[in-house]
Amino acid sequence: MIVVDMVNSYEHPDADLLLPSARETLPVLVDLLERARERNVPVIYVNDNFGEWRSHHGEIVETALSGPHAELVEPIRPDDSSLFVVKARHSIFFETPLSYLLGQLDVRHVVLCGQVTEQCVLYSALDAHIRHFEVTVPVDAVAHIHAPLADAALEMMRRNMGARTVLAKEVDFEPAE
């Protein structure tokens, strides 16, 4: 399970448009994380560094938790078993070690959740697809800025990338060995 850009201070230009969807997504994501962890499914947070090139995952988490919307981060904060990859662009794969990490974990199927559906989730689904990963996107566990664009992005993921788009409750995690 890959959590995209949810460790966020929401101090960026389009945050006001994103916040309602992020709030709606949060309880679904909390449940999905709990189910993944119960089944020992690897949980990987892939998160923007927000241009802070000296930061590491602990600083990114602490910055988000000290921000004005910590209530959106605290319930889904990485735990001690979580893995964390820092990214600088839209795709979780672009110039990150994620492909290598997934190979080391022998992962062939990724569940993408987080934000923003019509940006980072879409580009990450494409990059996962071209790397021959099976992709599932729980539609109620991804947040958007513009609902019509998010709907179009989900349709593109289904049609062009063969992604399975389902409700989070339909995600059936297979226990990790």
Side-chain angles (χ1 to χ4, degrees):
M1 179 170 152
I2 301 176
V3 181
V4 181
D5 287 339
M6 288 300 292
V7 180
N8 195 315
S9 66
Y10 297 94
E11 295 178 299
H12 44 82
D14 50 10
D16 287 343
L17 296 172
L18 174 59
L19 282 164
S21 183
R23 286 187 181 105
E24 187 176 318
T25 299
L26 185 63
V28 176
L29 188 51
V30 168
D31 179 66
L32 197 61
L33 277 166
E34 183 178 297
R35 289 183 22 226
R37 289 174 174 147
E38 284 174 357
R39 290 168 180 79
N40 294 319
V41 170
V43 175
I44 305 169
Y45 289 74
V46 183
N47 217 90
D48 199 319
N49 70 357
F50 303 103
E52 298 296 325
W53 294 104
R54 290 189 160 97
S55 64
H56 57 77
H57 79 279
E59 288 175 285
I60 293 169
V61 172
E62 289 309 312
T63 297
L65 288 172
S66 65
H69 298 286
E71 78 281 0
L72 295 176
V73 179
E74 180 60 42
I76 51 101
R77 75 185 302 171
D79 67 7
D80 291 340
S81 67
S82 301
L83 302 170
F84 202 100
V85 173
V86 177
K87 71 179 184 68
R89 299 296 294 171
H90 294 81
S91 173
I92 59 179
F93 292 96
F94 183 73
E95 296 188 358
T96 74
L98 184 62
S99 290
Y100 181 79
L101 174 59
L102 294 172
Q104 291 297 298
L105 296 172
D106 200 28
V107 169
R108 295 304 322 144
H109 180 200
V110 294
V111 176
L112 298 177
C113 55
Q115 58 195 21
V116 171
T117 309
E118 66 272 29
Q119 295 174 16
C120 298
V121 176
L122 173 63
Y123 304 134
S124 298
L126 174 60
D127 278 356
H129 172 71
I130 64 173
R131 286 168 173 78
H132 305 287
F133 288 100
E134 292 179 48
V135 177
T136 296
V137 179
V139 298
D140 50 345
V142 289
H144 61 268
I145 295 171
H146 302 287
L149 293 177
D151 291 341
L154 289 165
E155 182 64 19
M156 289 173 61
M157 289 181 232
R158 273 191 293 277
R159 286 182 185 234
N160 300 346
M161 300 160 213
R164 185 171 168 251
T165 55
V166 297
L167 294 174
K169 68 182 180 184
E170 297 173 61
V171 174
D172 185 25
F173 292 112
E174 293 188 25
E177 301 285 318

